[in-house]
Amino acid sequence: MMIRSWRERVDHLLKQDCLTEALALAWSFHEGKAKAVVGLSGDANKRKAVIADRMVEILFHYADRTLKKCPDQGKIQVMEQHFQDMVPVTVDYCLLLQRTDLLFSQMYDKLSENSVAKGVFLECLEPYILSDKLMGMTAQVMKDLLLHYQDKNLMEDMEACIVHMDITSLDIQQVVLLCWENHLYDAMIYVYNSGMNDFISPMEKLFKVIAPPLNAGKSLTDEKVVMGNKLLVYISCCLAGRAYPLGDIPEDLVPLVKNQVFEFLIRLHSAEASADEEVYPYVRTLLHFDTREFLNVLALTFEDFKNDKQAVEYQQRIVDILLKVMVENSDFTPSQVGCLFTFLARQLAKPNNTLFVNRTLFDQVLEFLCSPDDDSRHSERQQVLLELLQVGGIVQFEENRLIPMAEKAEFYQICEFMYEREHLYDKIIDCYLRDPVRKEEVFNYIHNILSIPGYSAEEKQSVWQKAMKHIEELLLLSPNKAADLIATHFDDQIEGIIKNLQDQFLLFQFLRSLLDPREGINQDTLQMSPCVTEQFIELLCHYSPDQVLETLQVLEFYRLEETIQITQKHLLHEASSYLLEKKGDVHGAFLVMLEQLRSKLLVLTREIEESTELHLLKDIEDTLVKIIALCQRNSHSLNQQQREALWFPLLEAMMSPQKLSSSTALCQYSEPLKSLTMQVLNNMAAFIALPSILQRILQDPVYGRGKLGEIQGLVLGMLDTFNYEQTLLETTTNLLNHDLHWSLCNLRASITKGLNPKQDYCCICLQQYKRRQEMADEIIVFSCGHLYHSVCLLSKECGIETKGQMRWTCYKCNSSNKGGKLSENFSELKKGNGASLAQSSSESLLDSQQIQAFDQLCRLYRGTSRLALLTELSRTRGGEKHGLLNVSQGDPALNSVFQNENFQLHLTPPPLTEE
């Protein structure tokens, strides 16, 4: 048995038609990565040459097989997929073997026999071109590649390939024309630069397109904007020594390219200039296209310039041209002019600056930007001047002239900038107040000056005084923010500010923002006298009476007597009632609301005679709900007589309009009034006994004579309520009785359950209890099944005498639980005599398991004592037997367990017990 040589191993794969595997194996031999290689001798280069020749033979065979295996019929997509699977293998190995001569001659000619295979071949080259692994190719292949991409409209892919290829072998003019027609500007610039070392022609072609509309003042199309942006980037690359769109310009060409581009930009006229063309057309066009970006390009270029004579001349020359173009023409906006002088200010502020700019030009720009006659672009002109000052341009102006011009032009940000340089912070407050755009920012500015460290005491004092001087103006601007500022920094001046404010409505807004906790100001930090709060309440009653009640509920630090006088003065009855209740005068609060209700009921009767006003019913209902809530809140703390003094006048007030039911006009409102009366009855029944309510109604002089039909509805409603409550009471009693019966039955069954011992001997002495007949000894049996002699348990200290009774614990169970808390086991005592067990004279007690079951039962049904419930129910039912008209003298509602707010009924069905 012999190992096959490398050639035999490759041939074996070829015989099996595994061409791809054969190529991969051969390449592993070529790279020296294969194992057990036999048949290769000589040095490495010689071995690689032998293997490479064999791989070329396989590649030719592979190409022939690719064409032969192509499906003759079917869709074109099937053929494309076949070649996409096969052709890249050929390209890969030819490039790995560095046989581009073979790839672009014999292989390309062979695959070109099929048009689909040719197209796939050309497309396979793109990844290698983009990764710079394939830089050069024959002119024919390159031409076919461009035509193929053009036919398939793959313009972006073609441009990406062009900028990575060596196109010196192509027809440059034809490629440039192709790129221009298809808007491939990057490729066109690359062809000019790398093919002809021409860096000026691309700029000329692009300028010819974008210059005419810009000079005419027209807006550019999206395509021309793209061209302009590419032109700016191209100029920036050239001046920085970078190739466009990628790479670097050869070092020997960098100075030449920079000079050519600068000379081109500063040309006085273009090559094909018309008679009316303005001077420096290229600079003018770029300034019109994007002033800021063009100046940024120049700024970057100036950074790279060395301080030689030529560089200084170029900088000065281009600056002079920029000034001539922009300052002497009126077709540039203030923003564009400002960009230029900002650029110049930055250049002049450099330590090694060599530029010279006439200071008169800065004065002209200042006058241009601060022109008071020009209202257009006000914010733009101010922002431009501010930027110019911030970058160092302030040294070019006279400060004593700048501030008056800025104030005249209403450039308040410029004034702020200048005042801040001179530490005149108080004057900046005037700048904020005069600036309509930034008025609201004055509060933050004052707060920052007064609270942030870093300012002197004199500066803070001047700002404090200026703010106090303009305090009314600040309040007019924003009462809420002004109040916050005053509470933080001027809290000791609040009463003085209140006295000085003449506008009462402004004072009201200020006090509301200052004192209302809902506005967000911390009331704890304010030391206010009650007079100030009462002054605010009076203003609130005047300007916003609807909000008095809800405001009183959140306000603090006011005196009740004085505030009640204020609300009564403005006839705000609900607010007065709230204050009287807060004071403790519940009856007074009730009378105020009751009077309101009576007046509305009286208005209702009058309106019915003249015109119907249905909204009065809604108003009456709202007032009644508030009175009922007042009575309910306070009835718990009143005795029976005081409660009747609240509820009975309310009932009388609601029943009084119904006494006039003979009026035909009132008939349509009788049902709503009866419904409201029943609402009063239902609510007062929780605090007043029903017999007392019924007796009071029947004792009324109006209802005491004549027919009962007039009050039939009220009486029937009370009886229905009584029947409902009686049914509920009986049902509750039955449930409680059943629940108690079930609990007691289960408890009794647990206690009387017989005990079955596990063995017939004592667990301590291990003697059978039958053999100790001579001893009148008690036999103790536990629910766990363990059996003991009482003497044995006493010897182990498992019995304790309490109140004349013995309490026993199981010795064996407690011995196994020594680590935890020992629970006491109460046993069933039984006395043994002879061969039988005699019952002990001791009482039956609960063992530990029974106690645990009982505790669980108690936890499950924990609540009001059943005995208390049954006692209460018996007392209630006993009272009913005396008749409805017997008025109770006591106060059962107060002492009843049902009135306890923690009272709960556990009405879940009892669990099933095991038989």
Side-chain angles (χ1 to χ4, degrees):
M1 180 180 293
M2 296 178 60
I3 298 178
R4 291 175 179 172
S5 66
W6 72 273
R7 193 179 294 274
E8 290 174 342
R9 291 167 65 181
V10 172
D11 292 341
H12 177 72
L13 291 174
L14 292 175
K15 290 177 182 179
Q16 295 181 355
D17 204 21
C18 299
L19 274 68
T20 306
E21 291 79 359
L23 287 169
L25 179 60
W27 180 249
S28 67
F29 294 145
H30 186 277
E31 294 298 302
K33 297 179 180 180
K35 305 297 182 182
V37 180
V38 177
L40 285 175
S41 60
D43 58 4
N45 293 331
K46 184 178 180 180
R47 290 198 301 269
K48 287 185 177 182
V50 173
I51 297 171
D53 292 340
R54 182 56 179 157
M55 289 184 69
V56 169
E57 295 175 2
I58 298 173
L59 285 172
F60 279 117
H61 181 52
Y62 185 83
D64 294 335
R65 179 177 174 274
T66 299
L67 294 172
K68 290 179 181 179
K69 294 289 184 178
C70 176
D72 297 332
Q73 298 178 352
K75 296 182 180 180
I76 190 67
Q77 290 84 357
V78 178
M79 296 179 65
E80 288 180 350
Q81 186 62 44
H82 168 73
F83 287 116
Q84 286 173 359
D85 295 337
M86 306 293 288
V87 172
V89 177
T90 305
V91 178
D92 285 343
Y93 283 106
C94 285
L95 292 176
L96 287 174
L97 294 171
Q98 299 180 358
R99 293 296 303 273
T100 54
D101 57 331
L102 176 66
L103 179 65
F104 295 131
S105 57
Q106 294 169 285
M107 287 294 178
Y108 180 65
D109 295 339
K110 188 180 290 292
L111 292 174
S112 296
E113 296 174 2
N114 187 300
S115 59
V116 178
K118 180 181 178 181
V120 172
F121 175 86
L122 295 172
E123 292 176 12
C124 287
L125 302 178
E126 181 179 346
Y128 299 98
I129 296 173
L130 297 180
S131 60
D132 294 328
K133 294 180 180 178
L134 182 61
M135 297 294 294
M137 60 184 72
T138 62
Q140 183 62 42
V141 175
M142 192 176 297
K143 181 179 179 181
D144 292 345
L145 176 65
L146 298 179
L147 292 175
H148 173 74
Y149 275 100
Q150 186 178 16
D151 293 340
K152 299 195 72 173
N153 198 27
L154 300 173
M155 293 296 118
E156 293 182 0
D157 296 336
M158 182 172 70
E159 184 176 34
C161 290
I162 289 176
V163 298
H164 285 271
M165 293 192 304
D166 181 7
I167 43 81
T168 53
S169 58
L170 289 179
D171 185 349
I172 301 297
Q173 295 300 327
Q174 183 180 1
V175 176
V176 168
L177 181 61
L178 175 67
C179 295
W180 185 259
E181 291 176 350
N182 292 281
H183 311 294
L184 308 180
Y185 305 116
D186 290 351
M188 180 201 70
I189 294 173
Y190 175 80
V191 171
Y192 270 115
N193 293 166
S194 61
M196 297 183 289
N197 285 336
D198 185 354
F199 293 87
I200 302 302
S201 296
M203 291 192 292
E204 290 179 338
K205 294 179 73 68
L206 294 175
F207 270 115
K208 287 181 181 179
V209 176
I210 66 172
L214 285 174
N215 294 333
K218 298 180 181 179
S219 59
L220 298 179
T221 62
D222 293 341
E223 181 185 346
K224 291 180 180 179
V225 170
V226 172
M227 294 175 65
N229 289 328
K230 289 182 180 294
L231 179 59
L232 276 175
V233 177
Y234 174 62
I235 293 172
S236 176
C237 289
C238 291
L239 295 177
R242 303 280 298 174
Y244 185 87
L246 48 89
D248 294 313
I249 299 174
E251 292 185 4
D252 56 333
L253 294 178
V254 170
L256 177 63
V257 171
K258 287 185 177 181
N259 293 337
Q260 287 180 352
V261 172
F262 260 117
E263 291 293 341
F264 172 79
L265 291 176
I266 62 178
R267 285 181 184 176
L268 191 61
H269 288 287
S270 60
E272 301 175 358
S274 59
D276 56 346
E277 183 184 71
E278 297 188 41
V279 294
Y280 307 111
Y282 301 128
V283 172
R284 187 183 304 274
T285 299
L286 292 174
L287 289 172
H288 276 298
F289 176 73
D290 194 331
T291 307
R292 188 179 299 275
E293 290 304 321
F294 176 53
L295 294 175
N296 287 341
V297 169
L298 294 178
L300 292 174
T301 305
F302 289 175
E303 292 289 340
D304 294 336
F305 270 173
K306 297 178 181 179
N307 289 327
D308 55 12
K309 183 178 180 180
Q310 186 178 13
V312 172
E313 291 178 356
Y314 272 127
Q315 291 183 49
Q316 187 64 52
R317 189 173 178 188
I318 194 122
V319 166
D320 294 340
I321 292 173
L322 291 171
L323 290 170
K324 182 174 181 62
V325 170
M326 297 195 73
V327 176
E328 296 181 4
N329 290 272
S330 59
D331 52 350
F332 289 96
T333 65
S335 178
Q336 291 173 315
V337 175
C339 287
L340 170 62
F341 280 89
T342 300
F343 162 77
L344 294 177
R346 286 196 180 102
Q347 299 301 318
L348 294 174
K350 291 181 180 179
N352 55 351
N353 170 57
T354 57
L355 292 176
F356 171 77
V357 178
N358 193 341
R359 190 165 182 172
T360 306
L361 293 175
F362 279 92
D363 294 337
Q364 293 177 3
V365 170
L366 179 62
E367 293 177 358
F368 168 71
L369 294 176
C370 295
S371 175
D373 300 329
D374 186 7
D375 293 335
S376 62
R377 302 176 182 268
H378 179 273
S379 59
E380 179 184 346
R381 289 185 287 115
Q382 179 177 213
Q383 191 61 36
V384 167
L385 182 56
L386 181 62
E387 185 179 355
L388 177 59
L389 296 175
Q390 289 173 342
V391 299
I394 190 170
V395 299
Q396 308 295 331
F397 301 108
E398 297 178 6
E399 296 186 17
N400 56 356
R401 182 168 176 252
L402 177 60
I403 294 179
M405 293 184 67
E407 290 178 346
K408 190 175 181 180
E410 298 181 353
F411 286 175
Y412 297 112
Q413 294 185 45
I414 306 300
C415 297
E416 178 187 356
F417 177 81
M418 298 301 298
Y419 289 142
E420 191 166 3
R421 284 172 52 87
E422 299 175 7
H423 302 285
L424 301 175
Y425 301 108
D426 56 328
K427 291 188 176 182
I428 296 178
I429 295 177
D430 294 324
C431 297
Y432 277 105
L433 292 175
R434 294 176 187 174
D435 193 343
V437 179
R438 302 188 305 148
K439 273 188 174 183
E440 294 282 344
E441 299 177 20
V442 67
F443 300 101
N444 289 333
Y445 177 77
I446 296 174
H447 174 72
N448 292 337
I449 295 294
L450 295 178
S451 58
I452 295 178
Y455 300 97
S456 65
E458 294 78 8
E459 293 168 348
K460 291 187 176 183
Q461 182 65 22
S462 64
V463 171
W464 191 90
Q465 292 175 352
K466 177 69 74 169
M468 283 296 300
K469 181 179 178 181
H470 292 281
I471 200 70
E472 187 167 354
E473 190 174 353
L474 293 173
L475 285 169
L476 284 170
L477 183 60
S478 175
N480 194 5
K481 292 182 178 180
D484 191 11
L485 183 68
I486 291 170
T488 305
H489 301 287
F490 304 91
D491 55 334
D492 56 340
Q493 300 292 324
I494 291 177
E495 295 188 7
I497 293 172
I498 293 173
K499 291 178 182 178
N500 294 329
L501 282 177
Q502 302 298 324
D503 188 340
Q504 293 297 302
F505 184 70
L506 182 60
L507 176 60
F508 162 65
Q509 289 180 310
F510 168 56
L511 290 176
R512 181 171 60 181
S513 301
L514 186 69
L515 300 177
D516 195 336
R518 294 169 296 183
E519 297 294 332
I521 296 179
N522 186 6
Q523 301 296 312
D524 297 335
T525 60
L526 297 177
Q527 301 296 330
M528 305 290 294
S529 66
C531 298
V532 176
T533 307
E534 292 156 12
Q535 184 179 4
F536 163 59
I537 294 173
E538 185 160 10
L539 291 171
L540 184 66
C541 293
H542 179 72
Y543 290 106
S544 186
D546 296 337
Q547 299 180 9
V548 172
L549 179 58
E550 58 180 314
T551 305
L552 286 173
Q553 293 171 350
V554 298
L555 273 182
E556 299 177 359
F557 310 117
Y558 60 85
R559 295 169 293 184
L560 287 175
E561 289 292 343
E562 286 74 6
T563 309
I564 291 172
Q565 293 177 9
I566 294 172
T567 54
Q568 290 176 346
K569 172 185 173 183
H570 290 84
L571 303 178
L572 299 177
H573 303 291
E574 288 188 33
S576 300
S577 175
Y578 167 78
L579 292 171
L580 287 169
E581 183 183 2
K582 188 175 181 180
K583 179 185 174 183
D585 187 2
V586 178
H587 191 70
F590 170 75
L591 291 178
V592 171
M593 295 298 295
L594 183 64
E595 185 62 30
Q596 276 292 100
L597 179 64
R598 286 172 175 169
S599 63
K600 291 176 181 178
L601 288 171
L602 184 61
V603 171
L604 179 65
T605 58
R606 292 177 178 176
E607 290 290 340
I608 290 171
E609 297 174 2
E610 300 174 359
S611 61
T612 58
E613 293 289 343
L614 293 176
H615 71 278
L616 282 177
L617 282 174
K618 179 64 177 174
D619 197 10
I620 291 171
E621 183 179 1
D622 293 341
T623 305
L624 181 62
V625 169
K626 295 174 182 176
I627 297 176
I628 291 174
L630 172 66
C631 295
Q632 287 177 332
R633 283 196 304 270
N634 296 279
S635 290
H636 293 288
S637 59
L638 301 177
N639 58 34
Q640 185 68 19
Q641 184 179 1
Q642 291 171 332
R643 285 190 227 165
E644 292 179 356
L646 292 182
W647 288 103
F648 283 139
L650 177 60
L651 179 62
E652 173 64 25
M654 289 306 303
M655 293 179 62
S656 58
Q658 301 180 55
K659 300 173 185 178
L660 307 175
S661 59
S662 58
S663 174
T664 56
L666 193 62
C667 292
Q668 56 180 325
Y669 296 107
S670 60
E671 289 301 324
L673 290 175
K674 286 181 180 180
S675 175
L676 294 177
T677 306
M678 285 304 303
Q679 186 175 350
V680 175
L681 287 170
N682 291 334
N683 284 279
M684 69 185 296
F687 305 97
I688 308 296
L690 288 177
S692 300
I693 299 173
L694 190 57
Q695 185 181 27
R696 185 62 175 264
I697 294 174
L698 294 177
Q699 287 178 350
D700 191 287
V702 177
Y703 301 123
R705 60 182 182 275
K707 300 178 182 179
L708 289 175
E710 298 175 357
I711 60 170
Q712 181 180 6
L714 295 178
V715 174
L716 290 177
M718 292 174 62
L719 292 176
D720 288 340
T721 303
F722 173 77
N723 290 331
Y724 166 76
E725 292 184 354
Q726 185 181 28
T727 304
L728 181 63
L729 191 63
E730 292 175 353
T731 304
T732 304
T733 304
N734 292 334
L735 288 172
L736 289 170
N737 286 334
H738 176 72
D739 184 30
L740 182 60
H741 174 72
W742 174 85
S743 301
L744 292 175
C745 286
N746 280 277
L747 184 60
R748 181 178 178 278
S750 299
I751 294 175
T752 59
K753 184 178 179 181
L755 301 178
N756 182 25
K758 295 181 180 179
Q759 61 277 327
D760 58 353
Y761 55 86
C762 175
C763 293
I764 296 177
C765 65
L766 302 180
Q767 294 185 14
Q768 292 186 354
Y769 59 86
K770 297 178 182 179
R771 296 182 180 180
R772 298 181 61 170
Q773 299 177 359
E774 69 280 357
M775 297 180 63
D777 194 6
E778 288 184 341
I779 304 301
I780 313 299
V781 181
F782 293 93
S783 60
C784 57
H786 297 140
L787 181 146
Y788 302 93
H789 295 108
S790 59
V791 176
C792 296
L793 281 179
L794 286 173
S795 67
K796 296 296 183 180
E797 297 181 354
C798 291
I800 302 174
E801 184 176 0
T802 56
K803 296 180 181 179
Q805 293 183 353
M806 291 299 298
R807 301 181 65 183
W808 303 97
T809 57
C810 179
Y811 171 74
K812 196 168 184 179
C813 293
N814 288 341
S815 297
S816 61
N817 295 318
K818 289 181 180 178
K821 181 180 179 181
L822 301 180
S823 62
E824 294 185 351
N825 295 302
F826 298 99
S827 64
E828 184 82 28
L829 298 180
K830 299 211 174 169
K831 190 178 284 187
N833 187 7
S836 63
L837 283 173
Q839 185 175 2
S840 170
S841 61
S842 303
E843 295 182 359
S844 297
L845 300 176
L846 297 178
D847 64 7
S848 61
Q849 295 181 357
Q850 292 168 338
I851 290 176
Q852 183 180 2
F854 182 73
D855 291 341
Q856 184 177 1
L857 188 66
C858 292
R859 284 196 301 271
L860 181 63
Y861 294 98
R862 180 175 295 148
T864 306
S865 169
R866 290 178 174 81
L867 188 59
L869 291 176
L870 291 174
T871 303
E872 178 68 27
L873 293 174
S874 300
R875 186 179 66 181
T876 305
R877 297 189 67 181
E880 293 171 3
K881 295 178 181 179
H882 298 289
L884 291 174
L885 301 179
N886 182 21
V887 182
S888 61
Q889 300 299 325
D891 189 10
L894 281 178
N895 301 322
S896 174
V897 296
F898 301 112
Q899 297 299 327
N900 189 349
E901 61 181 5
N902 296 322
F903 173 72
Q904 293 182 350
L905 285 177
H906 298 277
L907 300 180
T908 55
L912 297 176
T913 58
E914 297 181 359
E915 296 296 337

